Amino acid sequence: MDVDRVRSHFAFPDLGRVATNNAATSQPPRELLRLLESLTEDYDNVHRGQSSASRRTSERFESAYDTFAQWLNAPSRRSIATYRNTTEAINAVMYMLLTQFRDGDNVVTTMMEHNSNFVPWYGMCHEILPAFGRRVECRVARFDHATGALDLEHLAELVDERTKLVCVTGASNFLGTKPPLRTIRAIADRSGYVRDDGRTGSLLLVDAAQLVPSSFVDVQQLDVDFLAFSCHKMLAPFGVGVLYAKEQLLAAGRPFLYGGDMVAEGGVSVDRVDYNDLPWKYAAGTPNILGVIASARALRLVVDLVSPEGAPRWFDDDRPLPRSVVAQAMHRVGGHTRSLTELAMQEAMTIDGLRWYGPALGTPRAPLLAFTVDGVDPIRLAEGLNLEGVEARAGCHCATLAHRDLGLNPPATCRLSFALYTSADDVALAMDAVRRVVRDLRPLAPRATGAGGWTSGGRS
Ligand SMILES: Cc1ncc(COP(=O)(O)O)c(C=O)c1O
């Protein structure tokens, strides 16, 4: 991968930014900013006008759904819904399934989830369903504090014949752990839960917010029932999350939002409402039209950015994206970001008092490294890095359960995270800055406490 060429498409390198907070959000390439401007020539609503502008915008919008489906190797756009972000997509699944839970059912999630894949289930089990007199339990599987691995035995113990849904991250935004989704699929399949259609097995939802940006994800191969990701972590502007769901679930499910465009043309009377065809049944109200179009183009641009000179280009085009093209591009991105993460880990091992969390060097992980340094407040560390021009994030990264479970006090780590445009120089600069800031802060700050992870003095 020619990283210099990739970087030339972005503004941040010329501004001297060491953009290493990509797990929060990625940087936008210039092509997308130009695209947004050009889309204003046909600026109009979708499915709501006979003008050529409205028709062209509708075509681009619909074709974006095709791109999302092709990116995930979903059978068709009928399996795709768009929302504001991953959080809203997961909430949409919660509302879709809400009325299907039976008294005594349970949901199994994990201690390493982002709050957006725990709090909706907490809210459903502790607040919403009890208000309707229904008891549904929220169970939480442990992870190994030393390796960051999900405790699959514990997960399998929690999943039983009353487990309607298993919700798991595809990659933790704090530990970096990538739980084995096929094994989890098998655990969900074996649960013995009897579905409304008589088939057995629990549904599986994957939070892929940190998985999609650096991996090839094939929803049919993984056989997931629901999968969500945010396009703003994948070069696109803010405001679009994609939900994949098996078509039969969307066909049978209740939408999260009711209103215009999600109904069949003329299909509304006082006593009866007929819904639109998929996927528009899940597109109530005017959607984020430009955001959706730009997000699909962002995915296409990823392929162009990481492919060799002379390879076919996809950004400016609506041709179907073959699975092999997406797979090859994302394997390139995965290989590049993996080598950057390993570089960061090797450097981290040489910094006194530094302890990172999650999988050891050599074990697959998302391209991020969260760490603490004995005696240094993570927030002050990130602020110090900012003064050195290095963008980091400190806090619990919305992975509050995992920080508390590890006994971190304060419940915070400092995190560096990498993207397809991150260079080895960025990583070296960032880790040199960590070394300097730690040297300056270490004698001053209170001792942080906690357990787990790898320290430069050996495994704790
Ligand atoms: C693993 C994971 N899940 C969910 C989210 C929520 O994403 P969003 O804020 O786009 O809804 C994030 C964001 O950082 C994340 O890392």
Side-chain angles (χ1 to χ4, degrees), residues 23-24 85-88 90 114 116 169 171-173 207 209-210 230 232-233 393 397 415:
N85 46 42
T86 303
T87 305
E88 195 172 88
I90 293 174
H114 188 283
S116 56
T169 188
S172 156
N173 70 324
D207 169 357
Q210 299 295 344
S230 291
H232 71 89
K233 296 181 194 292
R393 177 182 180 191
H397 320 288
R415 183 184 72 187

Side-chain angles (χ1 to χ4, degrees), residues 90-263:
I90 293 174
N91 274 269
V93 176
M94 189 267 277
Y95 283 107
M96 197 187 305
L97 299 180
L98 190 65
T99 53
Q100 299 176 15
F101 278 91
R102 304 175 201 128
D103 204 43
D105 279 354
N106 64 70
V107 182
V108 176
T109 182
T110 87
M111 204 61 116
M112 66 171 75
E113 299 308 308
H114 188 283
N115 288 334
S116 56
N117 200 23
F118 169 68
V119 180
W121 309 115
Y122 169 89
M124 184 188 81
C125 294
H126 291 270
E127 295 176 3
I128 303 175
L129 288 176
F132 295 99
R134 206 166 298 170
R135 288 168 303 111
V136 171
E137 201 185 334
C138 182
R139 300 177 174 175
V140 185
R142 294 186 291 257
F143 65 89
D144 183 302
H145 285 193
T147 64
L150 182 61
D151 184 338
L152 293 169
E153 266 178 44
H154 189 222
L155 182 88
E157 274 168 32
L158 297 180
V159 173
D160 62 19
E161 73 286 352
R162 296 309 305 272
T163 304
K164 180 169 181 66
L165 179 69
V166 177
C167 307
V168 68
T169 188
S172 156
N173 70 324
F174 157 43
L175 301 166
T177 311
K178 291 174 142 180
L181 296 178
R182 284 163 197 263
T183 309
I184 296 169
R185 172 77 273 177
I187 292 171
D189 283 344
R190 285 198 302 268
S191 71
Y193 184 83
V194 182
R195 302 189 194 182
D196 289 343
D197 61 6
R199 290 187 305 145
T200 57
S202 307
L203 297 171
L204 174 63
L205 177 149
V206 173
D207 169 357
Q210 299 295 344
L211 186 64
V212 164
S214 59
S215 314
F216 174 57
V217 174
D218 181 330
V219 288
Q220 295 192 75
Q221 206 169 58
L222 292 172
D223 194 26
V224 293
D225 295 294
F226 301 101
L227 181 137
F229 70 95
S230 291
C231 297
H232 71 89
K233 296 181 194 292
M234 195 62 176
L235 310 190
F238 299 111
V240 178
V242 173
L243 175 68
Y244 158 81
K246 283 186 179 159
E247 187 179 328
Q248 69 269 25
L249 294 169
L250 289 179
R254 292 213 163 82
F256 160 42
L257 291 168
Y258 288 79
D261 207 33
M262 54 81 73
V263 290

Side-chain angles (χ1 to χ4, degrees), residues 45 79 255 262 305 413:
N45 213 321
S79 287
M262 54 81 73
L305 291 181
T413 50

